[in-house]
Amino acid sequence: MRVLIIEDSPEIIDAVSLCINLRWPEAEVFSSAEGGRGLELIEEKGPDLVILDIGLPDMTGLEVLRTLRGFSDVPVVMLTARSQDIEIARYLEEGADEYVVKPFSHVEFMGRIQAIFRRAHGRMRTVSKPLQAGSLLMDFGAAEVYESGRPVGLTRTELSLLEHLVRNATRVVTYESLASNMMQIAEPADADSRLIKVHVQHLRSKLGDSAENPKYIANVYGIGYKFLQQVTAGVAGLMQGQQGQSALV
Ligand code: CA
């Protein structure tokens, strides 16, 4: 499956690419920061799905949508800056298939566009591929986490925090970024930096990690956290070897 992202924010391109690749590791994702180049890429590459930002430097998303509908039936998901019913209705009228309001969490994004992705490529596997970091195995699609082969029970908030850190592995993730990610799934009252610290403390203890001698989640004092390990596609054999059965396949 080939996915084209037309979006001028590198952060959003990264976030969307990661969402797609977590779920469909084989997907080929390419992007353009400009509408004009994006239209060329649709002709050149024939993507199975287009993710289109409404505000681009050279054209509006609406202009891009109208132009591409002149020559392509590719499914289009709009990325809108905020919920504006009138604009969204207009885009759907002009041939967009779905929309996602920024900022969004991985869970929200996937929930919103899963059906479109399936339609875009029926042959793609719809089960998520586990990810591995050290002895930690994570399947965010299935909401399952294993440490050294043992299942780790996490709350939805802890799972979301872990996922956000893992998605940004080896990079500093600020309290603000974690808070805004949490706002998507939790009560606003939960998205406070003191509460984030409490949730991270619980998460660490469940993963057998510690702030003093971090294996996975390190404090970046006054700023936030960093997931220390490189993340790779998970090995189902790890589970089979350690438990005699795979809980993930
Ligand atoms: Ca934009």
Side-chain angles (χ1 to χ4, degrees):
M1 178 165 79
R2 283 185 287 192
V3 181
L4 170 63
I5 305 167
I6 307 175
E7 162 68 66
D8 57 329
S9 154
E11 290 80 23
I12 299 286
I13 290 174
D14 282 353
V16 170
S17 304
L18 213 73
C19 284
I20 293 166
N21 282 131
L22 281 171
R23 195 75 172 173
W24 289 283
E26 304 87 350
E28 186 191 337
V29 181
F30 41 99
S31 64
S32 165
E34 293 184 346
R37 178 66 190 138
L39 287 166
E40 285 173 13
L41 283 170
I42 294 170
E43 289 192 278
E44 285 168 22
K45 305 245 186 187
D48 302 291
L49 179 69
V50 173
I51 315 268
L52 175 60
D53 181 30
I54 58 164
L56 295 162
D58 59 330
M59 302 168 74
T60 68
L62 194 60
E63 286 167 336
V64 176
L65 179 65
R66 279 181 181 154
T67 309
L68 82 84
R69 276 290 171 255
F71 66 89
S72 171
D73 290 329
V74 64
V76 175
V77 176
M78 303 302 303
L79 292 178
T80 71
R82 58 190 170 282
S83 187
Q84 288 183 306
D85 290 349
I86 292 169
E87 276 192 46
I88 288 162
R90 188 70 187 277
Y91 287 110
L92 296 175
E93 221 167 79
E94 295 280 348
D97 296 89
E98 184 54 279
Y99 67 94
V100 180
V101 179
K102 296 186 277 192
F104 49 80
S105 68
H106 168 68
V107 172
E108 188 196 3
F109 181 83
M110 290 313 294
R112 194 84 200 182
I113 67 170
Q114 202 115 247
I116 298 273
F117 271 67
R118 282 202 207 98
R119 285 207 292 279
H121 204 300
R123 285 171 300 153
M124 292 296 288
R125 282 182 305 136
T126 53
V127 291
S128 64
K129 201 163 184 173
L131 298 174
Q132 193 178 347
S135 52
L136 192 61
L137 199 67
M138 299 157 284
D139 185 339
F140 291 112
E144 289 173 4
V145 174
Y146 299 84
E147 167 59 25
S148 302
R150 288 188 312 275
V152 180
L154 298 178
T155 65
R156 200 167 170 226
T157 300
E158 290 159 357
L159 191 71
S160 164
L161 279 173
L162 178 63
E163 184 175 4
H164 194 54
L165 290 168
V166 165
R167 284 203 283 137
N168 294 285
T170 73
R171 297 204 299 249
V172 175
V173 179
T174 62
Y175 296 122
E176 290 74 23
S177 165
L178 285 165
S180 93
N181 183 61
M182 280 173 66
M183 291 285 278
Q184 308 291 330
I185 64 144
E187 295 298 315
D190 268 354
D192 173 273
S193 76
R194 281 163 304 175
L195 276 168
I196 286 172
K197 287 176 190 174
V198 173
H199 288 304
V200 168
Q201 200 181 319
H202 291 162
L203 182 58
R204 275 190 179 124
S205 120
K206 290 179 177 182
L207 298 177
D209 203 6
S210 76
E212 296 72 31
N213 185 21
K215 181 180 176 189
Y216 297 118
I217 302 168
N219 287 334
V220 181
Y221 288 99
I223 299 173
Y225 300 97
K226 187 198 273 189
F227 190 85
L228 295 173
Q229 306 231 13
Q230 291 286 346
V231 177
T232 57
V235 184
L238 181 77
M239 298 303 307
Q240 286 160 348
Q242 303 209 5
Q243 286 199 322
Q245 60 170 9
S246 171
L248 292 175
V249 182

